[in-house]
Amino acid sequence: MKSRFIKGLRLLVLAAPFVATHAHAQVPAFVPDAETAPRGHGQVALLAPSRIGLSERVEFHTAAPGWLLLSPNGGVKIALRRTKSWTFSGDLSAAIPTMGMRATSGYLFPSNEVSNAKIGPLLTLQSGFLATYHGRGGPSSSGDRVTIAVDSAFLVAGKGPAPLDTYAPLELLLAPATARLRVHAGAHYLLALSETLHAFFGFDGYYLGASPAPRRSPFVGALNLGATWNLSRRVALTGGLFAYNTDQRATAIVEGPRGPERRKVRSNDLFPLLDLAIGF
C-alpha cells in the first residue's frame, strides 16, 4: 500500500508542471497574430518566434533559439486597440546578425572569405503593423481568425555583404543586412477544425532592396499551409509546407519566334516545416 502511494506521489510531482499551468498556457499556431500573450505567460518554440507577455498589452518576442545565438535579436509587440472582433498591434524589433554572418562567411559569403574582408558590426531594425479579426468568441477564443501583417526592415548601421542567391527562407531572413531593405505584406487564415486541431494557410509578398549586376527582380512570393495539433494545453506540434517563388538569376533555353533563345526563369522552391512549441 505504501509503495503504491509513493508511486502515485511521484507521478503527481512529474505531472504537476503540465497540469498546474493548463489554464494559462497559450500555444498559438505557426501564423502571425496581433494579439499579445497574457502577462507572465508565452511560448518557446524550435522554429517559431518565442514570446512572453510583459503586461496585458505588451509582449516581448525573439527568434528561434538557434538563430538567437548567432544573431542577438528581440522586439516588442504592443496591442494598440481591441474591439469585440478586432485586435490592432504595432511591432518594433532589432537584430545584430554580425556573428551569424561571420560564422557562415566561407559558405554563404565566399567573396568575403576569398578577399579576407571581415563582415563588420551590423544593426537592423524592423517596424510593422498587425490587424487580426477573431471569429466567434473574440480574442480569447481558439476559433477562426484572419491576420493582416505589414512591416519593413532595413539596415541602420554597418555595411553588409552583397545579397545572397541561396535558399529563399535564409535569403529573406538576412535581406535587411544584405539588400539593405525588406518590405513585407501578408494575409493569413487560421481555421479551427476542433479544440485541439487548427489548419492554417497564407500568402506573403516581399520587396527586397537593389541587387548588384546582373540585376534581378526584387519581388518574392510565398505560400504556406499546414496544421497545428495541440498535444496538450501546453505542447503543440506544427507541420506544413512553405513554397517560394523567387528570381535566382536562373535562365533556360526556350523556343522563341526566331528559334531557341535564352530567357530568365523564376525559381519555385518547396520547404517542409516541423515545429514544436511549449507554452508556459
Side-chain angles (χ1 to χ4, degrees), residues 68-91:
L68 178 62
L69 297 175
L70 295 175
S71 175
N73 64 87
V76 291
K77 181 169 63 177
I78 303 174
L80 304 174
R81 179 176 172 78
R82 290 189 177 104
T83 67
K84 184 178 180 180
S85 301
W86 287 89
T87 300
F88 302 94
S89 297
D91 191 284

Side-chain angles (χ1 to χ4, degrees), residues 53-136:
L54 302 181
S55 70
E56 294 306 315
R57 288 184 174 272
V58 181
E59 167 190 300
F60 174 81
H61 57 82
T62 186
W67 182 242
L68 178 62
L69 297 175
L70 295 175
S71 175
N73 64 87
V76 291
K77 181 169 63 177
I78 303 174
L80 304 174
R81 179 176 172 78
R82 290 189 177 104
T83 67
K84 184 178 180 180
S85 301
W86 287 89
T87 300
F88 302 94
S89 297
D91 191 284
L92 180 65
S93 59
I96 306 175
T98 308
M99 188 183 304
M101 296 176 75
R102 285 180 180 176
T104 57
S105 180
Y107 176 67
L108 296 178
F109 312 102
S111 59
N112 289 74
E113 187 76 7
V114 173
S115 62
N116 292 321
K118 190 176 182 180
I119 298 175
L122 302 169
L123 174 64
T124 64
L125 291 181
Q126 175 175 311
S127 60
F129 175 80
L130 300 98
T132 297
Y133 174 78
H134 305 273
R136 291 176 299 175

Side-chain angles (χ1 to χ4, degrees), residues 159-170:
K159 183 179 180 181
L164 302 169
D165 288 313
T166 184
Y167 302 114
L170 185 58

